Amino acid sequence: MLLRLSLVLLLAAPTLAAWPDDPTVNVPLSLAVGDKSDVFCVSDGQGGAIVAWEDTRGGDRDIYVQRVNAQGAVLWQADGVAVCTAPGDQGLYHSSTGTTGFAPLVADGAGGAWLVWQDERAFGARLRDVYAQRINAAGEVLLAEGGVPVATGAGMEDQPTACPDGAGGVIVVWQDKNTDPVFYDLHGQRLSGAGEPLWNGGQPLPLVVVDWNQDGPTLAADGHGGAYLAWSDGRDDVGDVYAQHL
């Protein structure tokens, strides 16, 4: 009887985690050729994580993503799912005025994630647009191949950062030189879960348009479909801090 009970308990025990406890052994998410950098990670809401990075396996800098579950098992395509391999470089991280933190990868609340990035496909180096893509829990991209345009003006769009809107969509804010060819202002847009722009008739919405640079935008969801925005501002001094509620 004791032996039978022991067997039952053994069979009912949860599967042991695959995460190594040796600091010299880790879980590889991508070992493809090329440089991989600027790594970002969010929870998948199910005990695992979704990880995105910039990847040069194709020559230019592209964006790939991978998901790992709570047990340390890699769930999606080996070496990562390609999010954007359009011509030119795509960057999850860039600061033209110093080192600041962004959130280009945010959970979508349904086991997947949103990614936003600066994109050089239209202009080449030193000029950028902003694009976005949504990926579901199975590792499938949900929007147009290569992502949907968020801001594609003639001026520089830079430093995109995002937060979820609580309804499957995403709010994106970036630096923008379309209203001022010299200094950066801040513009924003909200995308529905299907990638449709919801603000300002589909056009980027000017959020902060004053003299000198507005830098390092950062967002936090307000729990009601909007967001709080904070940034470094040079209008009166070398760098003050301002905030706004969207």
Side-chain angles (χ1 to χ4, degrees):
M1 181 65 180
L2 180 59
L3 177 60
R4 184 178 301 171
L5 178 60
S6 298
L7 288 173
V8 169
L9 291 174
L10 180 61
L11 292 173
T15 303
L16 292 177
W19 293 105
D21 56 8
D22 182 343
T24 66
V25 179
N26 308 113
V27 176
L29 301 186
S30 175
L31 300 177
V33 298
D35 179 50
K36 287 161 278 291
S37 60
D38 293 334
V39 182
F40 293 85
C41 179
V42 294
S43 169
D44 67 358
Q46 300 178 37
I50 296 172
V51 182
W53 64 90
E54 297 174 14
D55 195 303
T56 63
R57 71 184 73 177
D60 291 329
R61 192 168 294 275
D62 299 320
I63 296 173
Y64 281 75
V65 67
Q66 184 61 272
R67 183 181 175 193
V68 59
N69 68 14
Q71 287 74 45
V74 175
L75 300 180
W76 292 346
Q77 179 178 318
D79 292 322
V81 174
V83 172
C84 184
T85 58
D89 285 341
Q90 286 77 47
L92 292 172
Y93 175 89
H94 177 79
S95 174
S96 57
T97 55
T99 301
T100 49
F102 309 103
L105 173 71
V106 295
D108 69 356
W114 280 93
L115 297 98
V116 298
W117 66 89
Q118 60 230 5
D119 197 298
E120 296 180 357
R121 71 183 75 177
F123 300 106
R126 303 300 303 167
L127 287 173
R128 306 177 187 92
D129 293 325
V130 175
Y131 277 74
Q133 181 62 272
R134 186 182 182 187
I135 192 162
N136 68 15
E140 302 165 330
V141 293
L142 299 180
L143 309 181
E145 182 179 356
V148 296
V150 180
T152 57
M156 173 81 83
E157 289 92 18
D158 206 356
Q159 295 190 355
T161 189
C163 74
D165 69 356
V170 67
I171 295 171
V172 187
V173 173
W174 61 92
Q175 283 187 328
D176 199 300
K177 279 190 176 178
N178 281 295
T179 48
D180 188 326
V182 178
F183 298 113
Y184 279 113
D185 296 317
L186 298 182
H187 287 62
Q189 183 57 268
R190 179 184 178 187
L191 302 180
S192 72
E196 299 166 338
L198 300 177
W199 288 349
N200 199 34
Q203 299 302 309
L205 178 65
L207 300 174
V208 187
V209 182
V210 295
D211 290 338
W212 301 98
N213 282 324
Q214 285 70 57
D215 187 40
T218 183
L219 287 169
D222 70 358
H224 301 282
Y228 291 100
L229 167 66
W231 67 94
S232 175
D233 198 300
R235 71 183 78 177
D236 296 319
D237 203 344
V238 174
D240 294 323
V241 178
Y242 282 76
Q244 183 58 272
H245 188 194
L246 311 182

